[in-house]
């Protein structure tokens, strides 16, 4: 095993599409999924100004905002964004099947972040990236590692599919029991805003350090999504003065939080008092004798595709609060709601076990890379 630089075993693939783009899939930075080594989405027959070409087997590295950890193997020939660096293995120096794991790993991304330039949208150049140094075993060991790592990646994908299938099962059960959202409901409906009061959020000024460092949890839309969140989800902590001197509010425990900007439609039930930023609407004072909060959250999830279609805005897209307040909640008997919620909780247990297994597998995957390719 010897130390090598990335530039010793790989080159930047520089090729421009000079003719027709017809038939070539198009890959933008948005198609690269953080920490996923395989490419699963792309565009076809879309208008674009991209001219940079890649070939099957090349590694597509997201050079803009490298902290997002975007890098994937190209499964075909295509055209990509200029914000993607196309990296091609030198087959006589490194097994092409191993190169993606050299690139899609935390150590390389940390190196890339350190070499990035620019304040709003930092980018890293190949001239710097090629100086990343790592341990490279002989060809026999490379083959062994590549087979092992790709097998682990296949298993990870299987777990991810099972997790997605669990979510789809809950959606199917909802439709079977309640008929879907809005007019599709099997029951009479009532607007969310008519069975609750709404609290909006805000962000204290960072110019006042005395507003921060208290004991009041503060969350924004990246925290939403799980059925329940507690203080461990907090991105910051506010003082009473920070709440008093800003437009945020303390949201009572056991309220429904819904994102209406950035993470539109994401929702969670808070298990303790907390404050939110301006991208979250909180619905409080819901009569839990008539409406189960988890049931209402699952109704809101049915509305997510509609919310997405209604997003507006030049820079930060969102939906008006009135649209969320107008969401129709089926007036199903509480015992029927609780029957569905019981099903959701059983599904959550299965999903949690799958997520734990996936987390352990991911940790093993990263450990193997660090120990053998560090």
């Amino acid at each position: 095993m010897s130390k090598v630089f990335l530039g010793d075993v790989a080159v930047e693939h520089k090729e421009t599409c000079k003719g027709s783009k017809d038939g070539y899939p198009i890959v933008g930075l948005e198609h690269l999924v953080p920490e996923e080594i395989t490419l699963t989405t792309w565009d076809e027959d879309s208008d674009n100004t991209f001219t940079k070409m890649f070939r099957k087997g090349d590694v597509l590295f997201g050079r803009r905002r490298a902290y997002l950890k975007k890098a994937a193997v190209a499964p075909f020939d295509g055209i990509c964004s200029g914000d993607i660096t196309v990296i091609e293995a030198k087959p006589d120096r490194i097994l092409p099947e191993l190169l993606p794991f050299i690139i899609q790993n935390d150590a390389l991304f940390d190196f890339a972040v350190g070499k990035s330039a620019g304040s709003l949208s930092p980018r890293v150049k190949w001239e710097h990236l090629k100086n990343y140094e790592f341990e490279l075993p002989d060809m026999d060991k490379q083959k062994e590692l590549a087979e092992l790592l790709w097998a682990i990646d296949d298993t990870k994908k299987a777990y991810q599919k099972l997790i997605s299938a669990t979510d789809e099962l809950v959606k199917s059960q909802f439709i079977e029991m309640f008929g879907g959202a809005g007019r599709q409901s099997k029951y009479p409906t009532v607007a969310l805003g008519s069975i609750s009061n709404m609290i909006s959020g805000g962000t204290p000024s960072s110019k006042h350090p005395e507003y921060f460092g208290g004991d009041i949890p503060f969350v924004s839309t990246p925290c939403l999504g799980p059925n329940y969140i507690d203080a461990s989800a907090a991105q910051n902590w506010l003082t009473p003065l920070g709440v008093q001197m800003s437009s945020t509010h303390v949201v009572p425990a056991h309220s429904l939080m819904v994102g209406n900007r950035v993470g539109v439609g994401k929702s969670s039930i808070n298990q303790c008092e907390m404050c939110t930023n301006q991208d979250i609407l909180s619905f409080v004072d819901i009569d839990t004798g008539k409406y189960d909060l988890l049931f209402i959250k699952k109704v809101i999830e049915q509305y997510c595709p509609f919310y997405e279609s209604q997003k507006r805005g030049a820079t930060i897209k969102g939906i008006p609060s009135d649209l969320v307040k107008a969401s129709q909640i089926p007036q199903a008997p509480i015992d029927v709601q609780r029957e569905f919620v019981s099903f959701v909780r059983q599904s959550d247990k299965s999903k949690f076990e799958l997520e734990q297994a996936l987390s352990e597998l991911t940790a093993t995957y990263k450990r193997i890379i660090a120990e053998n390719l560090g």
Side-chain angles (χ1 to χ4, degrees):
M1 187 176 288
S2 59
K3 284 276 189 180
V4 299
F5 293 103
L6 182 59
D8 295 333
V9 300
V11 296
E12 180 181 12
H13 183 91
K14 294 183 177 181
E15 182 181 0
T16 301
C17 180
K18 298 179 180 179
S20 172
K21 299 180 185 178
D22 292 347
Y24 285 116
I26 306 298
V27 177
L29 199 58
E30 70 276 11
H31 295 120
L32 302 180
V33 179
E35 298 192 86
E36 288 294 335
I37 204 164
T38 52
L39 185 68
T40 55
T41 61
W42 53 85
D43 286 335
E44 294 185 12
D45 302 322
S46 62
D47 292 333
N48 65 86
T49 59
F50 301 162
T51 59
K52 181 184 290 188
M53 290 204 67
F54 59 85
R55 297 297 176 179
K56 181 178 179 180
D58 289 344
V59 180
L60 309 180
F61 177 86
R63 72 185 191 92
R64 179 161 65 94
R65 298 192 177 102
Y67 57 82
L68 294 176
K69 300 182 178 181
K70 292 185 171 187
V73 183
F76 42 62
D77 296 352
I79 298 172
C80 67
S81 162
D83 283 325
I84 293 175
T85 296
V86 181
I87 304 174
E88 179 184 359
K90 295 180 180 178
D92 60 327
R93 297 298 309 277
I94 189 171
L95 192 70
E97 291 81 7
L98 185 64
L99 180 62
F101 298 101
I102 304 290
I103 295 171
Q104 177 56 270
N105 83 80
D106 292 344
L108 183 137
F109 284 120
D110 290 343
F111 179 86
V113 169
K115 298 296 183 181
S116 296
S119 54
L120 295 178
S121 188
R123 290 172 170 83
V124 62
K125 296 180 179 180
W126 170 251
E127 283 71 19
H128 297 115
L129 203 60
K130 69 181 183 181
N131 293 320
Y132 170 69
E133 189 176 25
F134 62 97
E135 295 278 357
L136 185 67
D138 60 37
M139 278 292 184
D140 288 340
K141 183 64 175 179
Q142 289 183 40
K143 186 174 185 297
E144 178 185 328
L145 280 172
E147 290 176 352
L148 175 61
L149 291 169
W150 277 114
I152 292 175
D153 188 69
D154 288 342
T155 306
K156 286 173 58 181
K157 294 292 188 296
Y159 279 132
Q160 290 166 345
K161 286 181 180 179
L162 286 171
I163 291 169
S164 296
T166 303
D167 290 336
E168 289 303 317
L169 187 61
V170 170
K171 292 178 184 178
S172 297
Q173 185 68 14
F174 180 92
I175 292 172
E176 181 179 329
M177 294 182 68
F178 306 104
R183 295 178 181 178
Q184 299 174 333
S185 175
K186 293 180 180 179
Y187 294 91
T189 61
V190 61
L192 175 60
S194 69
I195 60 170
S196 64
N197 292 310
M198 191 192 80
I199 297 176
S200 57
T203 303
S205 172
S206 59
K207 296 178 180 180
H208 295 272
E210 66 272 21
Y211 293 170
F212 300 89
D215 57 4
I216 304 171
F218 180 77
V219 299
S220 58
T221 48
C223 305
L224 302 185
N227 288 335
Y228 299 95
I229 58 172
D230 56 23
S232 65
Q235 293 180 311
N236 216 321
W237 296 79
L238 306 183
T239 62
L241 182 63
V243 177
Q244 179 184 343
M245 300 303 292
S246 70
S247 56
T248 194
H249 299 87
V250 175
V251 179
H254 311 300
S255 301
L256 178 68
M257 296 178 167
V258 182
N260 73 318
R261 294 202 325 159
V262 185
V264 171
K266 292 178 66 178
S267 60
S268 288
I269 298 163
N270 59 312
Q271 294 184 300
C272 64
E273 288 187 347
M274 54 180 60
C275 293
T276 75
N277 74 349
Q278 61 276 11
D279 298 335
I280 295 177
L281 306 173
S282 298
F283 295 89
V284 305
D285 303 326
I286 296 173
D287 184 350
T288 53
K290 292 182 178 180
Y291 300 97
D292 188 289
L293 287 177
L294 186 51
F295 168 71
I296 295 180
K297 171 180 163 54
K298 295 303 174 182
V299 175
I300 294 301
E301 289 178 3
Q302 296 289 323
Y303 271 93
C304 284
F306 172 68
Y307 294 155
E308 280 290 321
S309 71
Q310 299 300 306
K311 289 195 302 186
R312 300 291 184 271
T315 53
I316 300 179
K317 296 183 182 295
I319 56 175
S321 60
D322 285 347
L323 190 68
V324 182
K325 290 164 69 175
S327 302
Q328 297 297 303
I329 310 301
Q331 294 178 291
I334 189 64
D335 59 331
V336 177
Q337 295 180 40
R338 287 171 179 164
E339 178 186 348
F340 171 70
V341 165
S342 177
F343 177 84
V344 171
R345 290 190 171 124
Q346 288 298 319
S347 297
D348 281 350
K349 289 180 182 178
S350 299
K351 184 176 176 180
F352 176 77
E353 292 173 358
L354 289 168
E355 288 172 337
Q356 285 291 101
L358 179 60
S359 177
E360 291 171 4
L361 191 63
T362 300
T364 299
Y365 165 88
K366 290 188 175 184
R367 177 178 55 79
I368 292 171
I369 290 176
E371 290 177 355
N372 294 275
L373 303 169

